[in-house]
Amino acid sequence: MDERSDDEDKDALAGLSSAPAPPRKSHSLSQQLRGTSAQKRHQLRKHSLDDVHVTMNVVNADPYYDSSDDDFFPYSSNTTSASSNMTMSAEEYVSSSHRLDQSLCMEGGVDYHEPGSSRESQPLPEFIGSGGGTGIFRVPTRAAVHPGRPPCLELRPHPLRETQVGRFLRTIACTKTQLWAGQEGGVRVWNLKDVFEPGCGLGGRVLRGDEDAAPYYESANTSPAMFLMVDVGNKLIWSGHKDGKIRSWKMDQPLDASTPFKEGLSWQAHRAPVLAMVMTSYGDMWSGSEGGVIKIWPWESIEKSLSLKPEERHMAALLVERSCIDLRSQVTVNGVCSISSQDVKCLLSDNFRAKVWCTGSMSFSLWDARTRELVKVFNVDGQIENRVDMSSVQQDQASVEDEMKVKFVSTTKKEKSQGFLQRSRNAIMGAADAVRRVATRGAGAFVEDAKKTEALVLTADGMIWSGCTNGLLVQWDGNGNRVQDFNHHPSAVQCFCTFGARIYVGYASGHIQVLDLEGNLIARWVAHSSPVIKLAVGTGCIYSLATHGGIRGWNMKSPGPSDDILRSELAAKESIYTRRDNVRILIGSWNVGQGRASHGSLMSWLGSAVPDVGIVVVGLQEVEMGAGFLAMSAAKETVGLEGSSVGHWWLDNIGKALEEGKTFERMGSRQLAGLLISLWVRKNLRTHVGDIDAGAVPCGFGRAIGNKGGVGLRIRVYDRIMCFVNCHLAAHLEAVNRRNADFDHIYRNMVFNRSSLLNTAAAGVSTAVNTVRTTNAAGSNSEEAARPELAEADVVVFLGDFNYRLFGISYDEARDFVSQRCFDWLREKDQLRAEMKAGKVFQGMREALIRFPPTYKFERHQAGLAGYDAGEKKRIPAWCDRIIYRDNRSAPVSECSLECPVVSAILQYDACMDVTDSDHKPVRCKLTVQIAHVDRSVRRGEFGEIIRSNERIRSMLEELNYVPETSVNTNNIILQNQDTSILRITNKCVKDMAIFKIICEGHSTVKEDGEEPDYRPRGANGFPRWLEVTPAAGMIKPEQSAEVSVHHEEFHTLEEFVDGIPQNWWCEDTRDKEVILLVNVQGSCSAQTYTHRIRVRHCFSAKTVSRIDSKSNSSRKGQGSPVHKQPANTSSETNSTNP
């Protein structure tokens, strides 16, 4: 079949040269091919397998990396394995169970593959190719503790994707005592005091995927939570949901693991999903949705609704819904809107200047938080947008109309003279182009997608930072002026968070970077194996959430000296949390030659070998061929479709042979033209296998058609990554270089993602951010950055019709040796063996010693060795069908450990010679795989024990409690109408900056009878609308002061609220008002804060002012200004947040 299908593309691929190979010692195959095959049949061989040397040297390993979560990513390590210079001769076979000086003839010997034989479970000797110690073929390094990143708290270890159907985590938010997460079925919460506690394990109260997670509690089922927001003042968590509702949840409420907790106040906020939320500096809630819709929910109505009883829930929701202010409608005149119609990506409250930033993908709008007026609209380049956007419907209609006029009305005479078909084609193409242009038009029309804004954050110095899809970080001032750009990483920015004087950036590549306020890079590391979609500041930790659902906590002092202590202490406890498991894998390959197999053939090939295996991988070639099918397959691939009816027939019938549904479960498959690979898992192993992805690389007809190429599947087994690639390489005896080039092309370009043929019931569907792999990660050297995905797997298995032939031998000679069943001399004529010896292909990979007859080429339905091709061409028998693998071993023999987590051996490698349905014989290989992995629950407990017990670490973490000494000039401020008072905050420290933030603890109306005021907090400790505090946050340099303006401002509207009741007439509240301001002070890198309390009172009459002044003066006699001194620690004034 190969020659017939490849004749047409022979010329197209003839120019392909072999891939560059590392230095090697051997003569070229082209010289071997020039040798004559007329030599005597019984000529004495140059070497004998009796003299084979069994290599038993173990190469000392440098510090490796833990692959359990970062297995697909290049690591920035300067260490090189000692095996990088290891060169193995092709004559070196390794075996851990017996010498190789035994006869290789099958007669009279014990067949390893016969069930019940004494050597059934003994590993077979293996041949190792050269060139596996360097470059992209170097074995990935592993370790018990990752040396390239800070040790972390694995709050929720990476769960298998298949376990997260309907439960994917989308966002996180953190308070001082709890970590909240929004998921597809509601919300969940962790108490931070329990983060080091062990998980419930399999069979516990939690579902699969969370058995190793720290104990948590889940809410009653709701619509997927899209966004979470913390309201510390009212001890509430606000969540925005896919169904357009906003819900509230109580912080720190008593929880029962057996009973889901329920929401509080909820209302229908939007028709579309709630994409962003924020509490402004005045306590109002703003929410954004699709189409650029922005709504304000005044705090007065929310406060009133929260005070209602649970049975009045409907009335509470109605009260909030009726108070809504639609900002988009307010800035729309005659159907023309001043802001973009793009979906709202982010909402940010600028507490320094009482502003609100609203971000779309291509534009920004700046609003006044107090007056709710639009201040400015500008694009991603910082240019002010004076033009206005029409509504999306009007814009689409106008654009389509304009395009149609251009395409159809303004036709030239030449176009009119064209034929009907040509004019129809032009019309269709013109309409398609018009639709495309309309679809891409919006604010900042035709701006490159790479400039899209993905995240926004406010830093301690009052600057705003935005992150783009091309990795660009943009710094803005508070007025929306673009200050400067930074580019430290090429991957898309996904999220931000700030702590003190540090900025944390999460990327789609899984990296986290730490910057200072000047944009200088402090540190970076690979945090997860998938995009970091959310960062949250917690108690002593920065928590990160990845798309796969894993949550990790990073110490605020990292990177630092404590990391080295933690790393060494944790590595010393390796034996406590290391677990080992064994899995047997059956791999089968068959070129079916466009035919179909009987059930008996499938049972002979697969069914008879599966009783003791846990995973079955089947690769087929030439499932379906023909020019029409290949063209259709290529067209379907371009739009993400795959598979065929013949392919499904094979999957169904293989499933029957494996007793699918009863014994095995199909995890997934991938088809590329005539190539098909599928994977089954035994049901009792199913809980440890998942995260299946697929990939395909065409190699035929200019690297575009799938008649040649490779299809692959990637799975996670016991937290280790295994890749299986089914290949069909270039045909013909002389096309050795083309085959080598095909392998190299597949190895370098195989990229795994979700396949349409994966078992969706098992794999699940995630609506989270799609995984984006970056092959040029910043911080990695060029060699590491270019490492393909296959290079980072723990196990790689290549199977298929590789098409390597026997050289330097005639048809009759080959038949002669095959009939004698002695294959040692034939192996010396194997092209693949010679190329692997030279390090030109399958570098560093392993194959068992071949002890079965060549599997190509046979006459169909003709049994026995007499079935070899006896036609006109008399193709020389060859071992075209092969199975080759590599694991984590960098040396021929290695012990299984976290440094070498996967060690494999071949128990069976044979061909099913009794199967006659194709011109190829099916081959199969049985691997026994020993896997070392980490018990995440146990390691988390050990991690916590080290932090609690190690005095050096404790003393280092105590630095987080340092707060600079500060003072304020007064703790009492009295204002009349339009009065302004200056609050001066002085930093008395000589070395560290002081970071302050002013919030409102509560506000009250002063009662005439002299009763104690009842202070009520607004949303997120916002200010009342009559009070302006500018700036409400900032940084103070050592031995300097900051002046804060505290100003009373008249504020009246037609829709004024008094005690939560809307007033529909002009009114003026003449009662005196009072607020308590809290000035929270912390250091540039401290988790502890010190609080100054300032009483601010607005007196409506001068008479009241004089009375209060007399009281204040008498009470302040003999008192100085409030001062915070360090290290004196007043518990009533200090918020301790020890890690």
Side-chain angles (χ1 to χ4, degrees):
M1 298 299 299
D2 292 308
E3 281 78 357
R4 183 176 66 255
S5 62
D6 284 342
D7 285 341
E8 297 177 0
D9 68 318
K10 182 176 181 180
D11 296 335
L13 294 179
L16 290 177
S17 59
S18 60
R24 51 192 174 268
K25 53 172 187 176
S26 85
H27 53 283
S28 171
L29 187 61
S30 58
Q31 297 174 338
Q32 298 172 346
L33 289 173
R34 286 195 294 268
T36 177
S37 62
Q39 52 189 304
K40 294 182 180 180
R41 182 177 308 168
H42 303 293
Q43 179 181 353
L44 198 61
R45 294 186 295 277
K46 295 181 180 179
H47 55 269
S48 170
L49 287 175
D50 295 341
D51 301 323
V52 171
H53 172 66
V54 181
T55 304
M56 299 297 290
N57 297 327
V58 179
V59 178
N60 294 326
D62 290 330
Y64 289 172
Y65 293 79
D66 174 16
S67 70
S68 56
D69 194 32
D70 304 298
D71 14 57
F72 322 143
F73 288 82
Y75 301 122
S76 53
S77 172
N78 296 324
T79 60
T80 305
S81 172
S83 65
S84 60
N85 298 321
M86 179 182 66
T87 303
M88 290 205 72
S89 170
E91 286 76 46
E92 292 180 340
Y93 291 83
V94 293
S95 172
S96 58
S97 59
H98 59 283
R99 287 178 53 84
L100 302 180
D101 54 354
Q102 55 190 324
S103 171
L104 296 179
C105 295
M106 302 292 289
E107 293 92 356
V110 178
D111 188 353
Y112 274 61
H113 320 310
E114 286 295 330
S117 70
S118 61
R119 297 177 178 176
E120 181 183 2
S121 60
Q122 294 183 2
L124 298 178
E126 299 175 355
F127 163 71
I128 306 177
S130 299
T134 58
I136 63 173
F137 302 107
R138 179 171 54 84
V139 173
T141 49
R142 305 292 186 226
V145 183
H146 198 308
R149 67 172 177 226
C152 62
L153 163 66
E154 291 198 81
L155 184 74
R156 188 190 193 221
H158 175 177
L160 295 175
R161 186 194 306 125
E162 292 77 3
T163 67
Q164 300 303 293
V165 180
R167 298 166 57 238
F168 281 98
L169 301 190
R170 299 168 175 268
T171 183
I172 56 174
C174 205
T175 70
K176 291 181 179 179
T177 58
Q178 293 179 319
L179 177 70
W180 291 72
Q183 61 185 11
E184 290 188 342
V187 298
R188 63 168 62 181
V189 59
W190 284 268
N191 290 322
L192 297 183
K193 64 181 179 63
D194 300 328
V195 293
F196 297 121
E197 295 300 316
C200 297
L202 288 173
R205 66 172 180 84
V206 299
L207 299 177
R208 278 187 59 209
D210 286 304
E211 56 269 14
D212 292 329
Y216 65 93
Y217 305 90
E218 283 189 303
S219 71
N221 194 45
T222 70
S223 174
M226 310 293 290
F227 195 88
L228 292 179
M229 179 176 63
V230 177
D231 181 0
V232 177
N234 295 278
K235 295 186 176 181
L236 293 175
I237 297 292
W238 297 95
S239 57
H241 294 259
K242 191 175 182 180
D243 61 0
K245 284 190 174 184
I246 293 177
R247 295 174 167 89
S248 70
W249 314 86
K250 289 184 180 180
M251 293 183 196
D252 300 317
Q253 61 177 314
L255 299 173
D256 182 4
S258 60
T259 305
F261 59 92
K262 296 182 179 180
E263 65 195 65
L265 174 65
S266 67
W267 70 91
Q268 189 69 44
H270 296 270
R271 295 180 179 178
V274 180
L275 302 179
M277 299 166 61
V278 73
M279 283 283 192
T280 70
S281 53
Y282 286 94
D284 296 329
M285 181 186 297
W286 292 39
S287 61
S289 184
E290 296 176 353
V293 176
I294 309 171
K295 292 185 179 181
I296 299 178
W297 312 95
W299 175 251
E300 291 80 3
S301 63
I302 295 176
E303 184 181 38
K304 182 64 177 179
S305 298
L306 288 171
S307 65
L308 297 179
K309 298 178 181 179
E311 53 268 22
E312 299 174 306
R313 178 175 299 179
H314 177 71
M315 183 181 296
L318 195 62
L319 179 61
V320 180
E321 290 172 8
R322 288 183 175 180
S323 70
C324 169
I325 301 172
D326 190 339
L327 291 182
R328 187 168 185 83
S329 64
Q330 287 193 357
V331 294
T332 300
V333 180
N334 296 327
V336 178
C337 187
S338 301
I339 60 176
S340 170
S341 59
Q342 300 164 356
D343 294 349
V344 176
K345 295 284 290 187
C346 309
L347 286 170
L348 174 71
S349 177
D350 180 1
N351 296 323
F352 285 73
R353 290 158 285 264
K355 298 289 191 298
V356 176
W357 288 58
C358 176
T359 307
S361 58
M362 294 293 187
S363 69
F364 300 86
S365 57
L366 188 59
W367 304 79
D368 189 296
R370 181 172 170 272
T371 64
R372 304 157 182 167
E373 294 176 350
L374 179 62
V375 176
K376 182 180 180 182
V377 178
F378 52 100
N379 62 22
V380 292
D381 295 319
Q383 300 170 347
I384 297 177
E385 294 188 342
N386 295 319
R387 68 173 183 81
V388 293
D389 280 0
M390 295 177 288
S391 66
S392 58
V393 175
Q394 290 175 323
Q395 186 181 26
D396 293 348
Q397 290 176 346
S399 301
V400 172
E401 183 178 349
D402 292 341
E403 295 292 342
M404 293 307 177
K405 289 179 180 178
V406 173
K407 295 296 179 181
F408 302 119
V409 178
S410 303
T411 55
T412 64
K413 292 183 179 180
K414 182 178 179 181
E415 289 175 334
K416 290 180 180 179
S417 63
Q418 292 175 341
F420 172 77
L421 293 177
Q422 183 63 34
R423 283 187 279 114
S424 300
R425 177 186 179 277
N426 292 344
I428 294 173
M429 296 299 292
D433 185 59
V435 172
R436 178 188 59 79
R437 294 180 61 185
V438 170
T440 57
R441 180 175 290 136
F446 304 111
V447 177
E448 296 179 4
D449 288 348
K451 294 183 178 180
K452 285 184 177 180
T453 302
E454 295 291 337
L456 205 63
V457 73
L458 173 69
T459 56
D461 58 353
M463 306 299 283
I464 286 86
W465 290 67
S466 63
C468 306
T469 51
N470 60 357
L472 188 68
L473 304 175
V474 184
Q475 187 185 48
W476 309 80
D477 65 14
N479 297 317
N481 300 312
R482 188 163 176 159
V483 179
Q484 56 185 330
D485 302 345
F486 302 91
N487 200 335
H488 297 298
H489 193 67
S491 181
V493 176
Q494 295 291 302
C495 53
F496 284 112
C497 78
T498 61
F499 168 70
R502 287 186 170 191
I503 307 171
Y504 291 81
V505 190
Y507 289 94
S509 63
H511 285 72
I512 286 179
Q513 289 186 344
V514 186
L515 313 177
D516 63 17
L517 298 179
E518 301 298 324
N520 301 311
L521 185 63
I522 299 175
R524 59 192 168 201
W525 61 84
V526 179
H528 296 276
S529 62
S530 63
V532 180
I533 57 175
K534 192 66 177 178
L535 293 169
V537 181
T539 304
C541 282
I542 304 295
Y543 291 95
S544 61
L545 169 66
T547 53
H548 55 52
I551 300 177
R552 286 177 165 170
W554 311 92
N555 191 280
M556 288 177 174
K557 296 292 290 183
S558 295
S562 62
D563 294 337
D564 296 331
I565 301 174
L566 269 171
R567 191 178 292 113
S568 60
E569 291 278 334
L570 202 55
K573 296 176 177 289
E574 176 181 345
S575 59
I576 300 176
Y577 53 78
T578 300
R579 303 291 181 266
R580 291 178 177 83
D581 287 278
N582 287 280
V583 179
R584 288 194 176 187
I585 305 175
L586 177 67
I587 302 116
S589 174
W590 191 9
N591 185 324
V592 297
Q594 305 184 66
R596 301 197 182 190
S598 65
H599 180 72
S601 296
L602 293 176
M603 290 300 297
S604 175
W605 174 35
L606 301 173
S608 61
V610 297
D612 60 342
V613 301
I615 300 174
V616 178
V617 181
V618 178
L620 304 177
Q621 306 87 44
E622 295 191 15
V623 168
E624 196 170 356
M625 300 293 282
F629 171 76
L630 294 177
M632 181 61 68
S633 174
K636 290 167 66 177
E637 286 283 335
T638 61
V639 295
L641 299 176
E642 58 176 289
S644 67
S645 58
V646 177
H648 284 291
W649 182 93
W650 277 101
L651 294 176
D652 292 341
N653 282 270
I654 293 174
K656 292 178 182 178
L658 298 177
E659 295 184 327
E660 182 180 358
K662 178 182 178 182
T663 306
F664 284 89
E665 178 180 339
R666 181 162 62 91
M667 291 286 293
S669 61
R670 180 67 163 96
Q671 184 172 358
L672 172 68
L675 286 165
L676 176 63
I677 188 170
S678 54
L679 187 144
W680 280 263
V681 174
R682 189 175 292 274
K683 285 197 167 185
N684 60 7
L685 187 63
R686 184 65 183 81
T687 55
H688 305 289
V689 180
D691 282 3
I692 185 163
D693 293 307
V697 179
C699 290
F701 297 104
R703 304 284 193 233
I705 305 298
N707 62 318
K708 294 294 185 288
V711 289
L713 293 176
R714 179 178 65 190
I715 59 170
R716 182 183 296 272
V717 182
Y718 288 108
D719 281 335
R720 301 301 174 187
I721 295 303
M722 300 183 181
C723 295
F724 303 91
V725 183
N726 174 29
C727 296
H728 195 185
L729 308 183
H732 303 297
L733 174 67
E734 68 280 3
V736 179
N737 288 341
R738 285 167 52 188
R739 286 188 277 276
N740 295 348
D742 283 352
F743 162 78
D744 190 78
H745 181 69
I746 294 169
Y747 189 86
R748 293 176 183 271
N749 293 281
M750 180 68 71
V751 176
F752 295 93
N753 47 46
R754 298 299 311 282
S755 167
S756 63
L757 287 185
L758 296 180
N759 186 346
T760 54
V765 179
S766 172
T767 54
V769 180
N770 290 330
T771 300
V772 180
R773 181 177 183 270
T774 300
T775 58
N776 188 22
S780 301
N781 58 50
S782 58
E783 176 183 316
E784 292 290 346
R787 285 177 69 84
E789 293 188 7
L790 287 174
E792 296 303 326
D794 295 286
V795 174
V796 178
V797 179
F798 276 84
L799 58 144
D801 180 2
F802 299 161
N803 261 321
Y804 287 92
R805 311 300 174 88
L806 299 180
F807 68 93
I809 189 172
S810 68
Y811 173 82
D812 292 332
E813 288 175 326
R815 286 288 303 269
D816 235 3
F817 280 101
V818 170
S819 64
Q820 297 177 28
R821 302 187 64 83
C822 288
F823 308 120
D824 53 339
W825 193 82
L826 285 180
R827 280 192 297 269
E828 298 175 12
K829 299 299 181 180
D830 178 26
Q831 288 180 339
L832 178 55
R833 182 173 179 269
E835 294 300 291
M836 289 178 67
K837 174 184 177 182
K840 294 181 178 181
V841 72
F842 296 107
Q843 289 87 340
M845 300 190 75
R846 300 163 178 259
E847 183 185 27
L849 199 63
I850 299 178
R851 294 177 173 174
F852 52 85
T855 57
Y856 173 85
K857 177 182 194 304
F858 288 85
E859 298 291 340
R860 292 177 187 266
H861 307 296
Q862 186 170 340
L865 298 180
Y868 280 112
D869 181 22
E872 181 181 350
K873 293 185 177 180
K874 286 190 175 181
R875 296 178 181 85
I876 300 173
W879 286 297
C880 291
D881 309 282
R882 312 285 275 270
I883 299 171
I884 298 176
Y885 83 100
R886 75 141 176 86
D887 53 21
N888 283 127
R889 286 174 290 176
S890 57
V893 179
S894 298
E895 293 294 329
C896 181
S897 65
L898 295 182
E899 287 72 29
C900 183
V902 180
V903 176
S904 308
I906 299 177
L907 301 180
Q908 178 180 351
Y909 189 35
D910 62 1
C912 298
M913 305 305 292
D914 58 329
V915 176
T916 62
D917 301 284
S918 172
D919 55 351
H920 288 251
K921 299 296 183 184
V923 296
R924 61 190 177 188
C925 177
K926 186 181 293 186
L927 285 173
T928 178
V929 183
Q930 188 176 15
I931 303 172
H933 57 101
V934 172
D935 187 321
R936 304 307 181 88
S937 181
V938 173
R939 185 164 72 173
R940 184 174 61 249
E942 295 299 322
F943 184 85
E945 181 61 29
I946 294 170
I947 290 180
R948 287 189 293 262
S949 61
N950 191 290
E951 291 299 327
R952 293 178 61 192
I953 293 178
R954 293 299 304 169
S955 62
M956 291 177 183
L957 295 181
E958 284 296 323
E959 297 176 9
L960 290 172
N961 295 332
Y962 173 77
V963 180
E965 180 183 342
T966 56
S967 66
V968 294
N969 64 330
T970 182
N971 59 4
N972 257 305
I973 297 176
I974 301 173
L975 300 174
Q976 283 187 287
N977 290 348
Q978 305 296 319
D979 270 1
T980 300
S981 180
I982 298 299
L983 173 65
R984 184 176 294 106
I985 309 170
T986 303
N987 179 10
K988 296 191 173 184
C989 180
V990 297
K991 63 176 183 178
D992 195 13
M993 283 190 174
I995 300 174
F996 73 92
K997 182 178 180 181
I998 303 175
I999 61 175
C1000 178
E1001 184 181 37
H1003 68 101
S1004 176
T1005 300
V1006 179
K1007 299 180 180 180
E1008 296 295 337
D1009 53 9
E1011 291 184 15
E1012 191 69 23
D1014 178 22
Y1015 294 105
R1016 304 188 312 274
R1018 293 175 66 83
N1021 294 115
F1023 304 115
R1025 227 173 298 280
W1026 55 266
L1027 184 66
E1028 289 185 353
V1029 179
T1030 309
M1035 299 181 67
I1036 310 174
K1037 294 181 179 180
E1039 298 183 309
Q1040 293 190 15
S1041 299
E1043 292 188 348
V1044 179
S1045 170
V1046 181
H1047 174 72
H1048 173 267
E1049 179 65 35
E1050 296 290 344
F1051 188 79
H1052 300 291
T1053 65
L1054 283 174
E1055 191 70 15
E1056 188 73 29
F1057 285 83
V1058 177
D1059 293 332
I1061 307 300
Q1063 308 296 309
N1064 294 320
W1065 56 85
W1066 285 97
C1067 67
E1068 185 176 23
D1069 189 1
T1070 60
R1071 295 174 294 181
D1072 292 351
K1073 305 175 186 66
E1074 191 171 272
V1075 300
I1076 301 296
L1077 298 183
L1078 301 182
V1079 183
N1080 293 325
V1081 181
Q1082 66 180 98
S1084 59
C1085 188
S1086 62
Q1088 189 180 38
T1089 61
Y1090 183 87
T1091 301
H1092 299 281
R1093 296 170 61 89
I1094 312 295
R1095 186 186 303 270
V1096 179
R1097 186 164 184 174
H1098 168 239
C1099 297
F1100 188 79
S1101 65
K1103 184 177 180 180
T1104 309
V1105 174
S1106 62
R1107 185 171 66 248
I1108 295 173
D1109 279 338
S1110 63
K1111 290 182 179 180
S1112 300
N1113 291 334
S1114 62
S1115 65
R1116 286 203 299 260
K1117 284 183 179 180
Q1119 293 184 8
S1121 62
V1123 178
H1124 158 227
K1125 294 183 178 180
Q1126 182 76 18
N1129 228 1
T1130 306
S1131 59
S1132 62
E1133 300 290 342
T1134 305
N1135 298 320
S1136 179
T1137 54
N1138 292 327

